[in-house]
Amino acid sequence: MDLIGTFYSDLAITPDELNSIKEKHQAITIKKGDFILHKGQVSNAYYLIEYGLTRSFLHDYEGNEVTIGFCSDNDVVIEVASFFQRTPTVENIQALTDTKLWKIRFEDHQELFHRIPEFREWGRSWMAAELVHSKNRAIAMITEPATSRYLRLIKEKPILIQQAPLKHIASYLGITDTSLSRIRKEIVHGN
C-alpha cells in the first residue's frame, strides 16, 4: 500500500486517518483488454493506478469508438459524472495493459469524505485540477494543430507512445490513423 501513502502524502492527516484511508482501498489486478466500466453501468468506485494503462472511450453518433482519455501510473481512474451523480455512464473504461489498481468504493469514499476534512480538500483540489486539464484540452482541440497536440501528449504521457495502439492515440487527438502516421513521420524526419 505504499502507493496509497504516497498518493495522499500531501494531506495534513494523522497516521490513524491515513490508515483509515488505506483500509478503504482494495488491490485488484486486471488483464489487458478487460473493462473496468461498461456503458450503461453506474460507476461504484474509482481507482488509483499502481502500474498499467487504461483508456476511456465512447461511441460517436455513427458507432465509432472515440478515445476521450488515458490514465497511467499514479493517475486516478474515474468516470466523474456517473460516480458522483449516481447515473449510468456513456463511457467505457478498458485496460490497455495488465494493470494493478487500488479500488475505493463509492460508499467508502463518501464516509472518508465526510469524516476527514483533508480528504475532502484533496478531492476538491484534484477535481479543480482535472477541470482545468479538461478545459485546456478542449481549447487545444480547437486552437492547435494536431502536430502540437501530439508533441504535448509525448511530453505529458510518454507511456502512451510506447504502449497505446496508434488508433487510440489518433482518436484521442481527433485525427485519423493516416494523419497520425504522417505526423510521426514528419517528426522523425524533421520536416
Side-chain angles (χ1 to χ4, degrees):
M1 283 207 194
D2 291 333
L3 172 70
I4 297 169
T6 302
F7 199 85
Y8 298 109
S9 64
D10 292 341
L11 300 182
I13 55 176
T14 67
D16 286 343
E17 288 171 328
L18 180 57
N19 283 335
S20 291
I21 292 170
K22 287 181 176 182
E23 289 170 0
K24 300 294 186 184
H25 289 75
Q26 171 192 1
I28 61 169
T29 304
I30 59 173
K31 297 286 185 197
K32 176 181 178 177
D34 287 352
F35 282 78
I36 298 169
L37 187 66
H38 285 280
K39 176 183 176 179
Q41 292 180 322
V42 174
S43 177
N44 289 314
Y46 71 84
Y47 309 82
L48 311 179
I49 299 184
E50 185 166 325
Y51 63 81
L53 180 64
T54 68
R55 76 172 177 127
S56 300
F57 70 96
L58 45 79
H59 293 90
D60 68 12
Y61 61 92
E62 294 178 333
N64 301 306
E65 286 186 6
V66 178
T67 299
I68 58 172
F70 293 100
C71 290
S72 58
D73 300 11
N74 302 315
D75 284 340
V76 176
V77 179
I78 186 172
E79 203 286 76
V80 174
S82 179
F83 184 79
F84 288 110
Q85 295 179 343
R86 314 305 303 142
T87 57
T89 182
V90 296
E91 295 180 32
N92 298 281
I93 302 176
Q94 181 183 37
L96 294 179
T97 64
D98 291 349
T99 303
K100 182 174 182 183
L101 305 154
W102 291 91
K103 175 182 180 178
I104 182 166
R105 296 177 320 119
F106 176 79
E107 295 79 10
D108 293 330
H109 170 270
Q110 289 299 102
E111 189 265 320
L112 293 170
F113 185 85
H114 292 294
R115 185 166 54 89
I116 303 173
E118 281 292 318
F119 186 79
R120 186 168 48 247
E121 179 57 24
W122 169 83
R124 187 200 63 74
S125 295
W126 180 86
M127 190 69 74
E130 287 301 303
L131 183 59
V132 168
H133 174 76
S134 180
K135 179 76 169 185
N136 288 340
R137 175 170 147 66
I139 290 169
M141 291 293 285
I142 296 168
T143 62
E144 294 181 8
T147 301
S148 297
R149 297 192 312 267
Y150 179 67
L151 289 170
R152 181 180 307 107
L153 190 63
I154 291 172
K155 182 179 175 184
E156 292 175 358
K157 287 238 183 236
I159 191 174
L160 293 181
I161 309 312
Q162 300 161 358
Q163 296 185 347
L166 289 181
K167 66 181 181 179
H168 298 327
I169 296 171
S171 172
Y172 179 73
L173 294 171
I175 59 177
T176 64
D177 299 9
T178 305
S179 294
L180 180 56
S181 293
R182 180 186 48 75
I183 289 167
R184 289 166 51 98
K185 186 176 180 181
E186 288 172 358
I187 291 170
V188 169
H189 296 297
N191 295 337

